[in-house]
């Protein structure tokens, strides 16, 4: 029989095994690892492990609002990797670099890092630029504008995401009335990892058309993987195996995409695209 403290430790260990579900709890996890209570090595006072979850929670109080994200990009092969909702900049950049390498990036570099904001990277061949803003759409526009300002003629967004607590929240102020329709779509070319997406469109056909148009600039065999209205969508891939998911909860959409990719035969499925259209 486990006591309550033991259950807390098991829950935290479970979080380590499922990194997609992690948010800003990195401080707590690192505290538990440093304590020795998870490592199996001896500690001076074994009974202290019973109280360690509570002690780590207190120690990390006030650090849970950090929400760092980063985007790494490799110019030669157009491979990208990213991270979001990490406790510090260094962790966000390290994970983004790891994900970029997993995607086949030979010369990955961190192009953007940001906290409690959205970021995007746009490129035209060897020319790469980035932008950050309060929304993903604004970050994408800024990245493309910076790319064009530097001389790019065919600048396209290669990666974009938001890293904010409680994804989907709006910035302070009076938001406009919600739209009745806000279609988004994801198109993907698994042969060459080309991707395109759209959001905030008035109908499904327009969303799919825009996604295909953007994807066609990067891929030779684009197909619409999913479309959705006032919801979140995600696409995961492992070589030629892909999977998509939609939900009003961005984390659930991400997990559905990864599960679908694995069901299709992928062994190392990772998220390529994740955003909300609402």
């Amino acid at each position: 029989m486990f006591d309550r403290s033991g259950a807390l430790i098991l829950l935290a260990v479970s979080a380590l095994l499922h990194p997609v579900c992690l948010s800003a709890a990195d401080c707590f996890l690192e505290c538990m690892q440093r304590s020795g209570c998870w490592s199996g090595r001896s500690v001076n006072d074994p009974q202290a492990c019973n109280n360690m979850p509570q002690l780590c929670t207190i120690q990390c109080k006030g650090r849970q609002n950090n929400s760092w994200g980063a985007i790494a990009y490799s110019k030669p092969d157009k491979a990208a990797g990213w991270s979001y909702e990490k406790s510090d900049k260094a962790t966000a950049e390290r994970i983004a670099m790891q994900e970029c390498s997993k995607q086949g990036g030979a010369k990955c570099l961190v192009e953007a890092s940001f906290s409690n904001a959205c970021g995007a990277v746009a490129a035209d061949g060897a020319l790469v630029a980035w932008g950050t803003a309060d929304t993903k759409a604004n970050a994408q526009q800024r990245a493309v504008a910076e790319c064009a300002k530097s001389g790019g003629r065919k600048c396209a967004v290669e990666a974009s995401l938001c890293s904010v607590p409680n994804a989907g929240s709006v910035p302070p102020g009076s938001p406009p009335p919600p739209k009745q329709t806000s279609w988004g779509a994801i198109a993907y070319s698994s042969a060459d990892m080309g991707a395109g997406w759209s959001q905030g469109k008035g109908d499904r056909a327009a969303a799919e058309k825009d996604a295909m148009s953007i994807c066609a600039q990067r891929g030779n065999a684009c197909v619409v993987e999913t479309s959705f209205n006032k919801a979140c969508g995600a696409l995961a891939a492992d070589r030629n195996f892909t999977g998509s998911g939609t939900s009003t909860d961005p984390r659930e959409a991400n997990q559905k995409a990864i599960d679908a990719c694995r069901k299709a035969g992928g062994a190392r499925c990772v998220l390529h695209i994740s955003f909300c259209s609402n």
Side-chain angles (χ1 to χ4, degrees), residues 73-74 76-80 97 99-108:
Y73 184 70
S74 175
D77 31 46
K78 295 186 177 181
M97 285 288 288
E99 293 300 323
C100 180
S101 296
K102 289 180 181 179
Q103 296 308 310
K107 295 184 178 180
C108 297

Side-chain angles (χ1 to χ4, degrees), residues 56-142:
C56 285
T57 298
I58 295 172
Q59 178 180 322
C60 294
K61 187 176 182 180
R63 294 182 59 186
Q64 303 304 309
N65 290 327
N66 292 336
S67 189
W68 280 94
I71 301 173
Y73 184 70
S74 175
K75 299 178 186 178
D77 31 46
K78 295 186 177 181
W82 52 83
S83 63
Y84 59 97
E85 293 187 16
K86 301 305 174 186
S87 63
D88 56 78
K89 182 178 180 180
T91 299
E93 293 182 346
R94 173 175 55 81
I95 293 176
M97 285 288 288
Q98 291 174 350
E99 293 300 323
C100 180
S101 296
K102 289 180 181 179
Q103 296 308 310
K107 295 184 178 180
C108 297
L109 293 173
V110 173
E111 296 291 348
S113 52
F114 38 91
S115 177
N116 293 291
C118 302
V121 168
D124 178 6
L127 183 61
V128 181
W130 57 272
T132 60
D134 56 340
T135 68
K136 183 180 290 187
N138 288 342
Q140 292 173 342
Q141 291 175 1
R142 184 167 295 178

Side-chain angles (χ1 to χ4, degrees), residues 222-268:
C222 296
V223 296
V224 174
E225 294 285 346
T226 185
S227 52
F228 42 92
N229 180 35
K230 294 183 70 65
C232 303
L235 180 135
D238 174 16
R239 298 166 297 170
N240 293 328
F241 301 108
T242 61
S244 61
T246 63
S247 173
T248 54
D249 182 344
R251 293 189 180 279
E252 184 177 351
N254 294 346
Q255 191 62 57
K256 283 183 176 180
I258 290 176
D259 290 343
C261 176
R262 289 172 178 168
K263 187 175 181 180
R268 300 179 64 183

Side-chain angles (χ1 to χ4, degrees), residues 166-192:
N166 302 318
S169 60
V170 297
S174 301
K179 297 179 180 179
Q180 294 300 316
T181 58
S182 184
W183 281 91
I186 299 173
Y188 189 69
S189 173
S190 58
D192 41 32

